[in-house]
Amino acid sequence: MSAEIIDGKELALEIRKNLKEKILRLKKAPKLVVILAGDDEASKIYVRNKQKAAAEIGIETELFRFEENSSQKQLEELIDRLNQDKDVNGILLQLPVPAHINGNALLERIDPAKDVDGFHPFNIGLLQNGANKATIAATPKGVLRLIKSVKKDLTGLNAIVIGRSVIVGKPMAMLLLNENCTVIIAHSHTKDLKELCLKADIVVSSTGCGKMVKADWIRKGATVIDVGICRDENGKLCGDVDFESVKEVASYITPVPGGVGPMTIAMLLENTIEAYLKQRG
Ligand code: GUN
């Protein structure tokens, strides 16, 4: 039997509708500031999509654009000013930043209470402590929501996270560990990846290697979440997972597009509202 497709687009729409209603009850619109440095084309599209989605539910946004050759000091001064500004609830530094900029130093400079990306070491630490007051990075938070939409209790399940990025893989593993899963973090140096995958009840793949995860890697009945965004040999959008074959083995699977992508934006909006509410006590 073919797997049930987890519809991220539909779940994200429902979340955004609820957030919009929540904002209507607030005294003032939450405000998200986005900082975009450099000319990365994909980043420009991501930022535009984030701003559009925010506006649709009543979050005010402001974009600060910096040239490719901007200095560390210029960015630091802006972050310092935004940290002090009581009207700003969330600050998002779009990644990647230009090569000569120290991105980590900038992320650490953002007030953790305004860190809607959950990339500040303080929030990463809270997540590690299992504290539910941490701001959690949007993509792994969205992935967990997708998994929980079909499986309420993850206790004791074997999970594999393929990819160990700071944005997805590492926080994803921590979230699954906090849900009492037994978690393997696999990466480009992992040996016997196929065998490790075959033991997993939950597979989250975030490598950017198109259709790498094949049907014979997947345990019958597994839940497979695809974070990858790639192009196949015909230039068509695809994920890390060979969807057509894997869906014949898995119980639940996310498509690309329409799976994780829409949830990432919805979770950023949720984080912005949560930041607003925390700041107002
Ligand atoms: N670049 C790619 N994904 C992200 C993200 O989730 N947040 C930020 N700030 N930059 C990104």
Side-chain angles (χ1 to χ4, degrees):
M1 222 177 62
S2 201
E4 183 181 316
I5 293 169
I6 310 177
D7 188 340
K9 206 168 159 189
E10 191 182 298
L11 185 57
L13 260 176
E14 189 187 317
I15 292 168
R16 281 158 61 169
K17 185 169 154 268
N18 290 338
L19 293 175
K20 188 173 182 176
E21 283 165 14
K22 206 167 187 176
I23 289 177
L24 287 175
R25 294 194 292 271
L26 300 178
K27 285 204 178 72
K28 195 169 164 293
K31 180 170 177 182
L32 170 67
V33 168
V34 180
I35 306 169
L36 176 58
D39 290 315
D40 185 79
E41 289 305 321
S43 289
K44 287 183 203 165
I45 297 170
Y46 291 145
V47 164
R48 209 178 307 133
N49 290 343
K50 287 171 186 177
Q51 285 194 280
K52 185 166 168 274
E56 273 167 17
I57 67 160
I59 292 177
E60 186 190 336
T61 68
E62 186 173 0
L63 173 64
F64 286 86
R65 285 281 278 119
F66 286 85
E67 303 287 334
E68 184 76 27
N69 63 0
S70 307
S71 69
Q72 184 84 18
K73 188 155 177 286
Q74 279 176 297
L75 289 157
E76 286 176 359
E77 280 173 1
L78 173 64
I79 290 171
D80 290 346
R81 184 156 68 73
L82 296 172
N83 282 341
Q84 295 303 320
D85 187 340
K86 293 233 172 339
D87 289 331
V88 173
N89 305 108
I91 304 170
L92 183 150
L93 173 68
Q94 184 65 26
L95 302 174
V97 288
H100 66 283
I101 299 288
N102 182 343
N104 280 339
L106 296 177
L107 293 175
E108 287 170 29
R109 207 169 179 106
I110 293 173
D111 179 347
K114 298 188 179 186
D115 166 37
V116 285
D117 259 328
F119 294 163
H120 191 286
F122 181 79
N123 282 312
I124 295 170
L126 287 179
L127 171 61
Q128 169 147 336
N129 288 350
N132 58 14
K133 56 183 191 241
T135 301
I136 296 162
T139 301
K141 187 180 187 188
V143 169
L144 185 63
R145 224 37 100 72
L146 288 166
I147 297 170
K148 290 220 144 184
S149 74
V150 295
K151 271 189 187 310
K152 294 281 168 282
D153 186 6
L154 310 185
T155 298
L157 297 181
N158 291 337
I160 187 163
V161 178
I162 313 175
R164 56 176 162 177
S165 69
V166 174
I167 295 180
V168 184
K170 286 180 186 172
M172 188 72 246
M174 201 51 71
L175 280 173
L176 290 166
L177 187 61
N178 289 347
E179 293 290 328
N180 302 318
C181 289
T182 303
V183 185
I184 289 173
I185 309 176
H187 47 79
S188 51
H189 297 276
T190 297
K191 284 186 275 182
D192 306 322
L193 180 55
K194 176 180 166 185
E195 281 66 34
L196 293 172
C197 252
L198 273 167
K199 292 194 166 58
D201 305 296
I202 297 171
V203 178
V204 180
S205 185
S206 173
T207 67
C209 300
K211 300 189 184 180
M212 179 185 84
V213 177
K214 305 288 185 203
D216 63 352
W217 294 25
I218 300 299
R219 185 175 183 167
K220 199 165 172 11
T223 299
V224 180
I225 309 289
D226 193 346
V227 186
I229 302 176
C230 328
R231 297 264 168 202
D232 70 10
E233 56 285 2
N234 304 315
K236 194 168 162 250
L237 211 58
C238 69
D240 289 359
V241 176
D242 187 10
F243 182 83
E244 288 305 324
S245 67
V246 170
K247 80 175 191 327
E248 300 307 323
V249 188
S251 275
Y252 301 100
I253 188 168
T254 57
V256 176
V260 174
M263 288 299 286
T264 295
I265 292 197
M267 293 299 101
L268 169 67
L269 303 177
E270 186 175 276
N271 283 352
T272 304
I273 297 170
E274 282 173 5
Y276 171 102
L277 293 172
K278 276 188 224 164
Q279 286 158 31
R280 300 197 157 224

